[in-house]
Amino acid sequence: MNAMFEGYGGNGQAYDEMFDGDELRSPYLRLRESLATLTTPELVSRVEALQAGYLAQGVTFDIGGEERAFPLDILPRVIEQDTWSQIDAGVQQRVRALEMFLADVYDAGTVFDDGVIPRRVITTSSHYHRASAGVRPPNGVRVHVSGIDLIRDNAGEFRVLEDNVRVPSGVSYVMTNRRAISSALPETIAQHRIRPVAAYPQRLLAALRAAAPAGVTDPNVVVLTPGVYNGAYFEHALLARTMGVELVEGRDLECRRGRVMMRTTQGLAPVHVIYRRIDDEFLDPVHFRADSTLGCPGMVDAARAGNVTLANAVGNGVADDKLVYTYLPDIIRYYLSEEPVLKNVDTWRVGNAEAREEVLDRLDELVLKPVDGSGGKGIVIGPRASRAELDELRTKILAAPRDWIAQPVVQLSTVPTFVDGELGPRHVDLRPFAVNDGNRVWVLPGGLTRVALARGELIVNSSRGGGSKDTWVLAGPRVAVADLADEAGEGDAVAEVPEVREATEPPSPPPPPATQPETPGPALTALQEQAEQQQQAGPTTRSPRC
């Protein structure tokens, strides 16, 4: 492996997270050392075992009608605690501001009156739903779960690429990736102090229970899925199983007298919180698409009456609108009186006449994105587009300028990735997941690293052939027992959280055994993840697209 790393080359101007020129960056010092004994055939064998395991578990995705194992790169992405602390603070800040923004947009609208953002930006958004106006969630939370997409620019600074507060997916990969890498590289993971990710389902369940309607002390929580043919069904089933709640489809629910009921073998049972994995337009045929059979008629009225909580709230999509994204720094300053911890990528609002003129002159230099696009669809990278594609794009922009934003071509950071038996730089992004219980925004330490497997490719989405990496957040040198318990999740035993030591120091040997030998912290992390594998293994079906 050392020879492979020595032959590793950077990728032009992109910031490489492992190498600074010929020098290793500090988070990767121990990783390289721990991989030094692995030969290339051994690494290939472990990669093949990873792929076989994902196929057996049904962690697959569909490209052109072909079912494939979701690509998981065997080499992890490593992030130091100091860097992660900034990401954590920035994501928390953004979620708090988005909560206040959404509450204002669907109620008083002071953000419009004070000139922070034009009202027409919201009312012309395809994700603005008047059915949500005046609906106040029981504990004031609309963004129960969020996924904030980050990239690392040429200078190594993390910036926000977009916000996902409708129905963000991909957290199942975070958990399954950690288990898989724990099995594939047990000796490597044992030499690192890595913050755990297994507590996510308990955190999510606690947040959902905290969002129950007033007066409900023991809420019935369900996960609402479109069904087994949905690309994200693997995630829906995994989360329902690990939270210990029912996985339901729209046909399992009915609304009676303003309340949502679930059909069971013992009759109808009340439902108080619905973690819905269905887009707004298909959720309630009374208010949205009349031909939808995925949701349940009357669900929105039940939420308006305060008898059920929908997580995430209907109408959150206005905050995902990429035009609204351009106003987020001002929105943070307006609501929180703080400067943004994480900056946006520089962006032109194509609806602005002056900006549009500049963008049209530079189409072959910029990246153009539809404001309501997802999954990398509709993005045009100017330097790689043909003249015909740019002419078509120009026509679309002139016809509907509000529908587009423009950004400079940002060379996403690269991380060493093992592709087709060779190690090379591949571009990555990062989606940290945050859970809001009304009292605290908790950010899962790690998040989903998506990687573009084709050399030089900048679009990392799995629907475009991308894969993922396990994301290791190294623990700090000193963490109090109370903090360890808090990270493990409410109700979890402190013993389930790894002991934390200085990341740059070798682990000290365990003390002499008393009644039962203690295991050093990182080894316990691996054992914990492997022990949970049977409990958290997903069903044999497709995994979510990111």
Side-chain angles (χ1 to χ4, degrees):
M1 282 296 295
N2 274 339
M4 292 179 64
F5 278 123
E6 289 169 2
Y8 175 80
N11 201 51
Q13 297 180 347
Y15 178 91
D16 191 85
E17 298 193 12
M18 184 169 184
F19 284 94
D20 181 7
D22 294 330
E23 299 295 324
L24 272 173
R25 300 189 192 275
S26 58
Y28 287 88
L29 290 171
R30 184 167 292 176
L31 177 66
R32 182 180 181 179
E33 179 183 338
S34 64
L35 293 175
T37 59
L38 280 181
T39 64
T40 299
E42 288 175 328
L43 192 64
V44 170
S45 175
R46 298 192 189 197
V47 169
E48 291 173 348
L50 273 180
Q51 295 174 341
Y54 264 31
L55 274 175
Q57 293 180 46
V59 188
T60 62
F61 70 104
D62 188 331
I63 288 186
E66 180 183 353
E67 202 76 14
R68 306 180 189 177
F70 182 72
L72 168 61
D73 185 54
I74 195 168
L75 297 178
R77 180 189 201 174
V78 185
I79 300 177
E80 286 183 305
Q81 178 59 33
D82 288 347
T83 302
W84 181 257
S85 295
Q86 182 184 23
I87 294 173
D88 188 299
V91 170
Q92 288 190 46
Q93 179 192 60
R94 204 160 180 103
V95 172
R96 292 199 309 271
L98 286 169
E99 284 282 10
M100 300 174 74
F101 172 70
L102 287 167
D104 194 9
V105 161
Y106 286 108
D107 203 326
T110 59
V111 70
F112 309 132
D113 299 336
D114 292 337
V116 179
I117 183 172
R119 188 183 297 270
R120 66 179 180 277
V121 171
I122 300 301
T123 57
T124 58
S125 172
S126 61
H127 301 296
Y128 175 69
H129 298 306
R130 288 180 171 82
S132 295
V135 177
R136 299 182 179 181
N139 66 339
V141 176
R142 287 171 170 79
V143 186
H144 303 82
V145 179
S146 56
I148 309 299
D149 289 351
L150 309 177
I151 58 98
R152 208 167 190 176
D153 64 15
N154 300 355
E157 181 181 7
F158 277 98
R159 290 176 177 257
V160 179
L161 188 64
E162 63 180 51
D163 304 293
N164 298 277
V165 295
R166 279 178 290 171
V167 192
S169 65
V171 74
S172 59
Y173 291 150
V174 179
M175 295 185 289
T176 55
N177 286 355
R178 178 60 54 82
R179 292 199 310 271
I181 296 300
S182 296
S183 298
L185 297 174
E187 65 274 69
T188 302
I189 206 168
Q191 295 180 35
H192 289 77
R193 307 304 186 250
I194 306 166
R195 295 179 60 181
V197 298
Y200 180 86
Q202 288 69 43
R203 290 281 187 177
L204 176 58
L205 179 60
L208 296 175
R209 289 177 61 86
V216 178
T217 57
D218 188 18
N220 189 13
V221 178
V222 301
V223 176
L224 175 61
T225 177
V228 296
Y229 296 107
N230 182 265
Y233 184 77
F234 168 80
E235 176 156 297
H236 308 164
L238 176 65
L239 291 175
R241 174 178 291 120
T242 53
M243 287 193 294
V245 304
E246 294 291 339
L247 180 67
V248 301
E249 298 180 28
R251 61 187 177 181
D252 300 319
L253 305 175
E254 66 174 80
C255 291
R256 291 190 175 187
R257 298 176 183 177
R259 299 181 183 277
V260 180
M261 311 296 288
M262 174 177 59
R263 297 185 179 94
T264 72
T265 55
Q266 298 178 341
L268 294 176
V271 173
H272 304 107
V273 182
I274 300 174
Y275 180 37
R276 51 100 177 197
R277 300 303 299 264
I278 297 176
D279 288 339
D280 293 351
E281 291 76 13
F282 300 92
L283 192 60
D284 186 339
V286 173
H287 290 275
F288 303 114
R289 289 188 51 159
D291 61 343
S292 174
T293 59
L294 299 179
C296 176
M299 193 179 298
V300 171
D301 290 335
R304 179 181 293 278
N307 295 324
V308 71
T309 299
L310 300 178
N312 284 349
V314 173
N316 278 11
V318 294
D320 287 359
D321 189 304
K322 292 181 178 62
L323 183 55
V324 175
Y325 157 91
T326 67
Y327 291 90
L328 249 294
D330 290 333
I331 288 171
I332 290 172
R333 297 182 187 103
Y334 176 70
Y335 289 111
L336 303 179
S337 299
E338 300 172 356
E339 284 300 310
V341 175
L342 298 172
K343 298 177 182 177
N344 280 11
V345 174
D346 295 337
T347 307
W348 286 266
R349 300 167 187 158
V350 181
N352 177 281
E354 184 177 342
R356 181 166 62 253
E357 182 178 356
E358 180 180 356
V359 168
L360 291 175
D361 287 341
R362 300 176 57 192
L363 282 183
D364 59 345
E365 303 174 14
L366 304 175
V367 176
L368 276 294
K369 298 180 179 181
V371 296
D372 61 352
S374 62
K377 297 177 182 177
I379 294 177
V380 179
I381 300 177
R384 301 183 181 181
S386 67
R387 175 52 55 187
E389 290 172 327
L390 292 178
D391 289 342
E392 181 183 0
L393 175 63
R394 183 183 301 272
T395 301
K396 290 180 178 178
I397 289 174
L398 291 173
R402 189 259 185 245
D403 294 347
W404 295 88
I405 61 168
Q407 295 174 334
V409 177
V410 179
Q411 292 293 325
L412 281 64
S413 62
T414 58
V415 178
T417 305
F418 197 70
V419 181
D420 297 330
E422 296 182 355
L423 192 70
R426 294 297 187 271
H427 293 291
V428 294
D429 75 353
L430 178 65
R431 176 176 290 182
F433 291 90
V435 176
N436 186 3
D437 63 7
N439 294 316
R440 175 189 175 190
V441 177
W442 176 77
V443 183
L444 177 68
L448 175 64
T449 289
R450 298 180 297 183
V451 54
L453 298 178
R455 181 178 290 273
E457 177 61 66
L458 294 175
I459 299 178
V460 300
N461 306 80
S462 60
S463 56
R464 301 285 292 269
S468 71
K469 286 176 170 284
D470 190 16
T471 309
W472 294 1
V473 175
L474 301 180
R478 290 178 294 276
V479 178
V481 173
D483 293 333
L484 293 178
D486 183 59
E487 182 165 308
E490 187 176 353
D492 290 355
V494 176
E496 293 182 339
V497 185
E499 178 185 347
V500 182
R501 298 192 185 93
E502 175 61 57
T504 58
E505 294 297 327
S508 58
T515 56
Q516 181 178 352
E518 295 182 6
T519 308
L524 182 57
T525 304
L527 292 174
Q528 174 195 351
E529 298 285 358
Q530 294 173 27
E532 292 175 347
Q533 186 165 0
Q534 182 67 31
Q535 174 187 351
Q536 297 186 359
T540 307
T541 185
R542 233 181 279 165
S543 64
R545 286 191 188 90
C546 302

